[in-house]
Amino acid sequence: NAGVMQNPRHLVRRRGQEARLRCSPMKGHSHVYWYRQLPEEGLKFMVYLQKENIIDESGMPKERFSAEFPKEGPSILRIQQVVRGDSAAYFCASSPPRQTYEQYFGPGTRLTVT
Amino acid sequence: GQNIDQPTEMTATEGAIVQINCTYQTSGFNGLFWYQQHAGEAPTFLSYNVLDGLEEKGRFSSFLSRSKGYSYLLLKELQMKDSASYLCAVKDSWGKLQFGAGTQVVVTP
């Protein structure tokens, strides 16, 4: 069974460019969560999605950030007009439909904004 | 909102026992999780408590008291490879995890 897959693993963008981060959940998992980890800090929840639905986006910055989980294909976290403060590790996690199950994390995408 | 508190760093020697405490204040509770994270890597699941009491899994045990908003992770027979950050996380009613800042455990020879 393949685990949660994220790509790219490392992404370098200049200020003002767009960053697209992809996440493929584990087989059979229909829930996807995105978290951000700034250097030397804990993980912060960003958004929770199910197929074609955003369930909770209370952790997403109001501007420049968006997320989707289409019927086919991976979940995408999109950051427009990146700034230096967006440099962080972005982790995706997935879980099966039942609430009691743990979330399995992908290896993360390390975004560096120059 | 939610508040998750855990110590920043703990140091212990190989073979010893270390207990990492976590206190939380939440507006919804659907379980408490402990994850291990080595530097530059993804968090890996260690334990899950939703009812009061102790859950034991090999060298790792986790305890929960819902009335006190308190949990601990106990690491026994410490090994050098246990040097990592340990993250306490509370799952809310919607399913998302709220993480503490993590406790860096340093194991010395």
Side-chain angles (χ1 to χ4, degrees):
Chain A
N1 253 345
V4 179
M5 315 238 328
Q6 288 187 251
N7 68 82
R9 295 290 305 276
H10 299 274
L11 183 61
V12 179
R13 285 286 178 265
R14 291 201 187 96
R15 275 180 299 172
Q17 291 184 319
E18 178 180 288
R20 278 184 183 241
L21 288 60
R22 293 174 190 77
C23 168
S24 296
M26 285 179 70
K27 190 175 180 181
H29 287 194
S30 56
H31 296 208
V32 166
Y33 308 81
W34 285 93
Y35 296 87
R36 176 165 65 174
Q37 188 171 37
L38 294 168
E40 308 300 324
E41 292 189 15
L43 285 100
K44 302 289 185 193
F45 167 79
M46 298 182 76
V47 62
Y48 164 28
L49 310 109
Q50 295 177 21
K51 286 282 186 183
E52 299 184 282
N53 278 311
I54 296 174
I55 307 302
D56 182 347
E57 55 182 348
S58 58
M60 286 276 271
K62 295 278 188 283
E63 297 175 352
R64 303 188 296 109
F65 285 72
S66 62
E68 62 176 6
F69 189 14
K71 190 176 179 181
E72 302 290 337
S75 175
I76 307 282
L77 178 68
R78 184 179 174 212
I79 311 171
Q80 294 178 288
Q81 299 174 326
V82 295
V83 301
R84 288 245 171 91
D86 297 332
S87 294
Y90 292 83
F91 290 97
C92 164
S94 73
S95 71
R98 288 175 62 183
Q99 282 279 336
T100 53
Y101 279 82
E102 68 266 23
Q103 295 175 16
Y104 295 85
F105 281 80
T109 294
R110 275 144 189 87
L111 173 66
T112 302
V113 180
T114 61
Chain B
Q2 299 188 14
N3 199 36
I4 318 286
D5 289 313
Q6 51 182 131
T8 304
E9 185 173 309
M10 303 183 74
T11 300
T13 53
E14 213 172 355
I17 298 173
V18 70
Q19 177 175 314
I20 307 169
N21 296 324
C22 172
T23 57
Y24 63 90
Q25 292 175 316
T26 64
S27 54
F29 181 84
N30 200 14
L32 189 140
F33 294 76
W34 286 95
Y35 282 83
Q36 180 192 60
Q37 186 179 27
H38 285 98
E41 297 183 11
T44 54
F45 169 77
L46 289 178
S47 69
Y48 166 66
N49 296 70
V50 67
L51 299 176
D52 290 353
L54 187 68
E55 293 281 341
E56 295 188 85
K57 197 189 272 189
R59 294 189 298 114
F60 295 171
S61 304
S62 57
F63 171 84
L64 175 67
S65 168
R66 288 171 297 171
S67 62
K68 293 180 179 166
Y70 168 70
S71 172
Y72 68 72
L73 178 70
L74 196 69
L75 285 64
K76 293 177 265 189
E77 300 169 18
L78 277 174
Q79 302 175 9
M80 297 300 290
K81 67 178 181 180
D82 297 330
S83 291
S85 182
Y86 291 83
L87 312 176
C88 172
V90 172
K91 181 179 268 193
D92 69 9
S93 305
W94 288 99
K96 70 176 185 277
L97 292 175
Q98 184 86 11
F99 282 88
T103 298
Q104 186 65 41
V105 170
V106 178
V107 181
T108 59

